[in-house]
Amino acid sequence: MNRRKLMMLAGGLPLMSTAYAQDPKPVFRRSRPGDASWPSAAQWAELDAKVGGQLVQVRSPLEACRSAPESAECAAVFRGLKNPWYIGDNVALTQTSGWVDAWTSAPSAYAVAARNAADVAAAVDFARTHRLRLAVKGGGHSYQGTSNAADSLLVWTRPMDGIDIHDAFVGQGCSDAPQPAVSIGAGAVWLHAYAAVAKAGRYVQGGGCLTVGVAGLVQSGGFGSFSKRYGSAAASLIEAEVVTADGAVRIANACTNPDLFWGLKGGGGGSLGVVTRLTLRTHELPKFFGGAFAAVKANSDAAFRRLIERFVAFYRDALFNPTWGEQVKFCGKQRLRGRDDLPGHRSRSGGSGLAGFHLLDCGTGRRFHHRRGADVLHGAGAISVGCRVSQEERAADRARRRPSRCAGGQRVLAHQPGRVRLVPARL
C-alpha cells in the first residue's frame, strides 16, 4: 500500500466510527422574526418595562421611499441623509450604507435607547436569553458594519451623552497620583467632548471627524490629527465602565480587571462588551490651534514627481516631529490634497498652538497656514490657497487698520469668521 492510499484510509476512519453515526449536535443559531423562539409581544413588553419605556420598534425612514419614491416625504429623507446629525440621531441609520459585496446597512428590529448601564445590562440579558443578534451603536460611524445587523436588538447609547470634568481623578482600586481627566458617556460625540473639555481649559485627544462617537473611536485605537503629540485616543484611557456578555456592569482600569482594560484600548471595537462610560486623560490646552487645507495640481507627470519629492523632503524637515499631525493623499490627475493641524506651532502673536499637515480628499483646496508649507505648495502651482490667523492677530490687524496677512506675506482679499482667503497662486 502506498503512502497516499494509507492517508486516504486513515482520513476515512472517523467516518466509519459509531460515534459519527449518531445524530449530530443541534447547530446554534440566532432567533429571527417568524421563528418559534422569537420573543413574544408580552416578552418585548416586559423588556420595555425593565428599561423604563426606552424600547423602540425600529422603522427605517427609507421605507417612505420604497412605497412612494417620488413623494415629498422621500425627498425630505434624502435631504436629511446629507446631514450627519440627522443620521446619528435616527436609530435606524448609520453614517455609511455599506461596502459593495461586503455588507449593507440594515436596521435592527428593536432598540433600547439606553440611559445608563442598567438599561444596557437588561438588553444584554434579554438578547442572551432569547438568542438574539445584538448590535451596539453610538455615533454610527462603523464602516465595517458592526453597529447594525438585520433582525437584531440594538443597544443604542446615543442618550448616554453626559460629560464630567475631573481636576484630580484616580481609577477605582488604584493608588496612582490624581490627574486631570474627563468622563464621557458612550453616546457622546467628539464635537461635544472637545467643547466641554476646552471650556475647562484642557484638551482631550480624539479624532478629526466631530460626529464620530467617543466610545467607538477609543475602542478602535483612535489615531487623530494630534496623535504624534498626545498619542492615540486609546492611550488616554484611564478607566471604563463596561457591560460584559453575562450582563454584569464592570469597571476596567490598570488595577481592576486589567486584562479587560487592556483589550478595550483598541482591541477590536465593541467585541469585549458594551462600554457605557469612558474616563480619558486630559492635557493642557494650547493657546492656539491651527488648521489649513490646500490642494496642489502639478502641470505634468515630471512636475508631479518633483512635487512628491519636495513634499517628502518637506515632511522630513518640518513635519516629522511631535508638533505636526498629518495625513497625505496623492490623487489622480496629478493632484495632492491636504489639511494642516499644527500642535506646538508658535503663532506670530506669541501663543503656542497646535497644527499639522493633513491631506484628505481630491477636492479643491481652500486654506493654508505656515510659510514653508505655502512655499512648497506655491512652487508646485496651487489651485487655491488660503490661511487662518489667530483672533489676536486679526484683532491687531483691525486695530492698525490694515489687511490681515497669512504666514508667507500674501495679502488677504476677504474676511470670514475664523477664516481668510488669498489670491490663488501659480508659479
Side-chain angles (χ1 to χ4, degrees), residues 122-176:
V124 170
D125 286 339
F126 189 84
R128 186 181 64 253
T129 300
H130 296 281
R131 298 195 320 234
L132 303 178
R133 294 176 182 272
L134 189 71
V136 184
K137 184 173 72 172
H141 275 267
S142 172
Y143 291 95
Q144 289 77 41
T146 55
S147 65
N148 72 97
D151 302 333
S152 66
L153 173 61
L154 175 68
V155 175
W156 194 33
T157 63
R158 191 73 162 188
M160 302 172 61
D161 59 356
I163 300 175
D164 298 307
I165 306 296
H166 308 285
D167 293 328
F169 182 85
V170 179
Q172 180 177 305
C174 296
S175 57
D176 302 336

Side-chain angles (χ1 to χ4, degrees), residues 83-97:
N83 181 352
W85 298 102
Y86 169 84
I87 295 172
D89 288 338
N90 192 303
V91 66
L93 299 177
T94 54
Q95 297 289 344
T96 177
S97 59

Side-chain angles (χ1 to χ4, degrees), residues 35-379:
D35 292 346
S37 57
W38 183 256
S40 65
Q43 289 169 324
W44 285 114
E46 183 181 346
L47 173 61
D48 187 39
K50 189 170 290 187
V51 298
Q54 294 299 109
L55 184 67
V56 178
Q57 190 166 7
V58 181
R59 292 284 184 268
S60 172
L62 293 172
E63 291 180 3
C65 298
R66 295 189 182 97
S67 58
E70 303 299 327
S71 66
E73 185 180 359
C74 178
V77 170
F78 275 91
R79 284 196 301 271
L81 292 177
K82 298 177 181 179
N83 181 352
W85 298 102
Y86 169 84
I87 295 172
D89 288 338
N90 192 303
V91 66
L93 299 177
T94 54
Q95 297 289 344
T96 177
S97 59
W99 285 355
V100 175
D101 297 329
W103 66 276
T104 302
S105 179
S108 299
Y110 287 87
V112 171
R115 302 158 300 172
N116 49 50
D119 288 347
V120 174
V124 170
D125 286 339
F126 189 84
R128 186 181 64 253
T129 300
H130 296 281
R131 298 195 320 234
L132 303 178
R133 294 176 182 272
L134 189 71
V136 184
K137 184 173 72 172
H141 275 267
S142 172
Y143 291 95
Q144 289 77 41
T146 55
S147 65
N148 72 97
D151 302 333
S152 66
L153 173 61
L154 175 68
V155 175
W156 194 33
T157 63
R158 191 73 162 188
M160 302 172 61
D161 59 356
I163 300 175
D164 298 307
I165 306 296
H166 308 285
D167 293 328
F169 182 85
V170 179
Q172 180 177 305
C174 296
S175 57
D176 302 336
Q179 56 186 315
V182 57
S183 292
I184 305 174
V189 297
W190 283 105
L191 174 65
H192 300 147
Y194 287 141
V197 175
K199 188 175 181 180
R202 305 288 295 175
Y203 172 72
V204 60
Q205 176 60 42
C209 183
L210 300 182
T211 57
V212 166
V214 172
L217 184 80
V218 171
Q219 292 175 83
S220 299
F223 185 85
S225 301
F226 307 137
S227 283
K228 289 202 303 189
R229 175 76 171 266
Y230 299 115
S232 66
S236 294
L237 183 63
I238 301 174
E239 184 173 279
E241 180 184 75
V242 56
V243 178
T244 48
D246 57 358
V249 181
R250 304 178 189 277
I251 295 296
N253 56 41
C255 313
T256 304
N257 296 310
D259 290 345
L260 178 58
F261 176 65
W262 180 84
L264 293 174
K265 299 177 71 170
S271 57
L272 301 177
V274 184
V275 168
T276 54
R277 187 182 68 246
L278 298 164
T279 299
L280 303 172
R281 183 179 299 106
T282 63
H283 311 273
E284 183 179 355
L285 180 67
K287 294 180 180 179
F288 176 79
F289 280 79
F293 300 73
V296 181
K297 187 177 188 306
N299 296 323
S300 67
D301 289 344
F304 193 42
R305 285 192 292 270
R306 291 197 301 272
L307 169 63
I308 295 172
E309 291 174 358
R310 292 185 67 178
F311 175 76
V312 171
F314 172 66
Y315 177 86
R316 177 198 62 205
D317 297 337
L319 305 181
F320 188 53
N321 55 58
T323 299
W324 291 75
E326 76 295 320
Q327 289 182 6
V328 174
K329 193 163 189 178
F330 295 98
C331 309
K333 299 182 180 179
Q334 301 162 332
R335 184 177 293 183
L336 176 150
R337 171 83 169 102
R339 187 181 97 195
D340 255 353
D341 304 308
L342 28 264
H345 171 67
R346 297 289 298 181
S347 71
R348 287 185 292 140
S349 59
S352 67
L354 294 181
F357 205 63
H358 202 113
L359 297 187
L360 302 177
D361 59 25
C362 302
T364 302
R366 290 179 175 79
R367 300 180 292 282
F368 198 78
H369 177 266
H370 190 260
R371 178 167 184 170
R372 295 186 65 190
D375 290 343
V376 170
L377 298 177
H378 291 175

